[in-house]
Structure formats: C-alpha cells, structure tokens
Amino acid sequence: DKTCVSKYQGSGFVISASLTTNVNCWCGLQIENKMTKEKTQRKHFLETLSVLHWVLTFLFFGKIPPHFILMVYLMFTSLWPLSALYFVWLVLDWDTPERGGRKIHIVRNWKTWDHFRDYFPVKLVKTAELNPNKNYVLGCHPHGIMSCGAFSAFSTKSCGFAELFPGLRCRLAILAGLFRIPLMREYIMGAGLLPVSKASLEHLLSKSGKGNAVVIVVGGAAESLASSPGVNTVVVRNRKGFVRLALQYGADLVPVYSFGENDLFQQVTFSEGSFGRKLQDLIKKIMGFSPCVFVGEHFLIMPYRHPVTIVVGNPIAVPLRITPTEEEVDHYHGLYMEGLSNLFQEQKVSCGLSESHRLEII
C-alpha cells in the first residue's frame, strides 16, 4: 500500500492527513469540511441572535409600557422592595444621563457586538486625522430605520474607533426620552449612549476635557421616514442646532456618512398629506420618534445582511464663539453641507454605489 500524505488549505480550513488510500484522503477532507460548515452555521446563528437582541430592544424595550408595567407588577408581589428601592434610585439618579452618563466598559466590549458587526458587516473608515487635543461634533447621516451602523461604530468597540482615532473618546447621542424609561436607561447608559439634549451635550463638551467626539444623528426621526433602499436623502438643510453647539464650544465639525444604512430595510412610505403620513408626523411631534412601517428578513423584523460602511470625513475647523451670530451659524452650516456632499461624492464608488448616485439634502 502506498501512503498518501495530503494537505489541503483554503476556504477557512486546513487538512493534514497521512492515509493509506486516496479514498481515505477524500474522507478526511469531507469530515473536516463538514466541521467547518457546522462552525459557520454556529457563527451565522450567533450573528442573527445578536441582531435580534438589538431589534427587540429597539422595537419593544425602548418603550415605556413594558418596563413600567413590570415595575408596577412587582409592587404587588413579594418582590415589592426591589421595585420600591429602584424607584428611589431612579429619583436620586434622574439627572445622571445629563451629566455624562454611566459608561460601563464591559458592556461596550461584549462579544455580542462583534457578532452584530459581522452580521451586515459594518466597517468604519477613516479619511483624515482627528487631533485628540480637540473636541469634535460628528454629524452622522442617514438615520435609516434603526441606525445600526452608527450604534456599532460609535457605541461599541467592535469597529475599532479607538484604534483608528487614538486619544479620542466617542459617545453616541440618542433620543433623550429613552433615558426616562426604567431599566432601559441603565442598559443604554452602560453602552455609553447619551441623551441628545442641550444639557447633556454641553456637559460633554465643557466639563470632560479634550478628546471628546460626540456623534449626533442629525436627521433624526424625520430622516428615518425618507429611508429606503437606493435612496440617499439626508435632512440637514434646516438643522443648525448642532452647528451652533460646535461654535459655542469651539468643537470642530466632522461629517460622517453611513453607506448602506438605508438598504437594511424596505419601508412602506406614505405620501405627504396622506392619513398615514399625518399620523406619523403627529406621533413624532408628541413622542419624538416616528413609527415606520418596514419589512426585513426573518419574521420581517430582521435587517437584510447588507454591508454598512461608515466613513468619517475631514474635520471642519470651528472657532470658539460663545454667542454666535446667525451669519456665523449659516456660514459653518454651509461648510458642513459642502463637506458632507464632497464626502459622499468621493467615497460612494468605493462603498458600492455607482457614479450616477447623488446625495439629496433637504
């Protein structure tokens, strides 16, 4: 019998075998290949589970009733002291989100965020240096349905922000009302999220030293209603508060574009003036967010596995103006929109779009 020594390398697996026949060599290859497929299926499952956790948090646990009902229910059980103590804690800790929050590094480093990143996957791209001796206001566009890319890149450590921009501390600012929800507030504060309120942003830019990068999804709820695959529409033309904030604290402005964010869900859009759109606008006015009618894959709530590339653009130098004039705000707002447009044009092809795609600013 002739000894067969075979080594196969490629497609994520390596085989070394010393067998007596070619048939045995092939059997060894098949067994190893099967093991690799099983590992891939496990990885696929973990990615799906990680994203499902995020989606359920966004859709259900980010609302007041479930948490409030739970806390009230506990008041009528033998566990009532837990509920009572938590409500006391809630009162004493009410202003913590406005004072920098309570970031927990273990939460930001969870392995589940690596699986979350790999599901799409999400990639963070650097185009310019950011000086760690300065503060920055990053405007992220578009919002999409759930801002999955922004969360992965700026609220977890899975995309390597700290390695790309050494010395900078990044914080993502989200809807302030979420920090008033029992239990939910503890979770999102642990992830390093901050309320996008004046008090919160001023605290970060004035009382936390230098090297802070606050990320604001400028378009907010209005921009989410324009989210649709193949559409690149951002709501920023009449949004100037973030520019005024940057001037008041001398923080440089940085445009950020999340290529692929709008492709994660299909959205049912209602025309202006329709009953559906009026209802969405009414809820947005009352609650601060717009209920979007969308579909994805797997039970219709999971986002599509579409790549998301977050590109951080060139910083725009902003002077310190404690009381900026309207002319100054308009000037730097114009520079910001120009920088955002240039970023889109320069990066769109490398991020999977064609030359014919254009950015629409409304």
Side-chain angles (χ1 to χ4, degrees):
D1 291 338
K2 189 175 181 179
T3 301
C4 168
V5 179
S6 171
K7 183 176 183 180
Y8 180 94
Q9 182 172 355
S11 302
F13 60 94
V14 177
I15 295 178
S16 295
S18 179
L19 306 169
T20 58
T21 66
N22 289 334
V23 174
N24 287 341
C25 286
W26 175 249
C27 289
L29 177 63
Q30 292 292 85
I31 292 171
E32 191 71 20
N33 193 16
K34 182 179 179 181
M35 292 175 63
T36 303
K37 285 183 178 179
E38 289 175 351
K39 183 178 180 180
T40 301
Q41 290 172 355
R42 179 176 180 272
K43 171 65 174 171
H44 188 279
F45 172 75
L46 290 174
E47 291 172 1
T48 302
L49 194 63
S50 298
V51 175
L52 179 61
H53 147 255
W54 164 254
V55 169
L56 293 178
T57 300
F58 183 92
L59 292 178
F60 303 110
F61 300 111
K63 310 296 183 288
I64 293 178
H67 302 273
F68 185 76
I69 291 172
L70 174 62
M71 300 306 296
V72 172
Y73 169 75
L74 290 178
M75 291 293 292
F76 296 93
T77 69
S78 59
L79 297 177
W80 69 265
L82 293 178
S83 186
L85 287 173
Y86 181 76
F87 277 119
V88 172
W89 162 258
L90 194 62
V91 172
L92 296 175
D93 195 56
W94 191 253
D95 293 329
T96 295
E98 311 286 346
R99 299 171 181 169
R102 188 167 43 250
K103 181 169 58 175
I104 302 175
H105 291 286
I106 294 177
V107 176
R108 289 164 60 87
N109 279 323
W110 274 349
K111 183 65 177 177
T112 187
W113 304 134
D114 291 341
H115 298 308
F116 181 95
R117 173 201 64 206
D118 295 340
Y119 176 93
F120 301 97
V122 179
K123 181 173 68 173
L124 183 63
V125 177
K126 169 184 178 180
T127 63
E129 295 292 337
L130 297 183
N131 188 344
N133 294 317
K134 303 190 71 173
N135 286 333
Y136 297 91
V137 174
L138 280 64
C140 188
H141 315 264
H143 183 285
I145 299 295
M146 298 185 187
S147 295
C148 297
F151 174 79
S152 180
F154 301 121
S155 190
T156 78
K157 296 188 176 182
S158 63
C159 291
F161 182 91
E163 289 73 31
L164 287 174
F165 302 99
L168 284 184
R169 300 178 298 277
C170 184
R171 306 293 293 274
L172 177 62
I174 63 172
L175 189 65
L178 294 174
F179 294 86
R180 303 309 183 203
I181 301 176
L183 302 179
M184 178 68 176
R185 67 192 295 274
E186 320 301 339
Y187 178 44
I188 58 179
M189 273 198 291
L193 297 167
L194 291 176
V196 62
S197 63
K198 184 177 180 180
S200 172
L201 300 178
E202 287 181 344
H203 183 280
L204 182 67
L205 295 175
S206 64
K207 298 182 180 179
S208 300
K210 299 298 182 181
N212 297 293
V214 58
V215 182
I216 303 173
V217 186
V218 177
E223 198 170 81
S224 67
L225 295 178
S227 171
S228 186
V231 173
N232 295 286
T233 301
V234 297
V235 178
V236 67
R237 194 170 297 280
N238 294 317
R239 307 245 168 158
K240 302 178 182 179
F242 72 104
V243 177
R244 189 182 305 277
L245 176 76
L247 281 164
Q248 289 174 333
Y249 294 96
D252 288 357
L253 290 165
V254 183
V256 178
Y257 200 85
S258 181
F259 291 92
E261 185 69 45
N262 282 348
D263 298 305
L264 302 183
F265 292 97
Q266 295 275 356
Q267 182 176 189
V268 179
T269 57
F270 300 99
S271 60
E272 291 290 342
S274 66
F275 174 77
R277 189 56 178 262
K278 288 180 179 178
L279 182 61
Q280 287 177 321
D281 291 338
L282 177 62
I283 296 176
K284 179 167 69 74
K285 184 177 181 180
I286 296 173
M287 303 294 293
F289 65 89
S290 297
C292 299
V293 182
F294 63 88
V295 294
E297 63 181 31
H298 300 310
F299 310 108
L300 305 180
I301 63 172
M302 292 290 288
Y304 295 113
R305 286 179 176 264
H306 188 283
V308 178
T309 304
I310 310 253
V311 184
V312 180
N314 293 310
I316 300 166
V318 175
L320 174 62
R321 297 286 188 270
I322 297 177
T323 54
T325 64
E326 289 302 318
E327 291 75 16
E328 288 175 321
V329 172
D330 289 341
H331 172 70
Y332 286 98
H333 183 255
L335 290 179
Y336 178 85
M337 289 193 294
E338 180 183 352
L340 178 62
S341 296
N342 291 338
L343 175 66
F344 181 86
Q345 287 298 116
E346 293 167 2
Q347 301 293 327
K348 62 182 181 181
V349 174
S350 63
C351 293
L353 301 182
S354 66
E355 283 287 358
S356 62
H357 278 84
R358 294 289 181 269
L359 179 65
E360 181 182 8
I361 299 179
I362 61 176

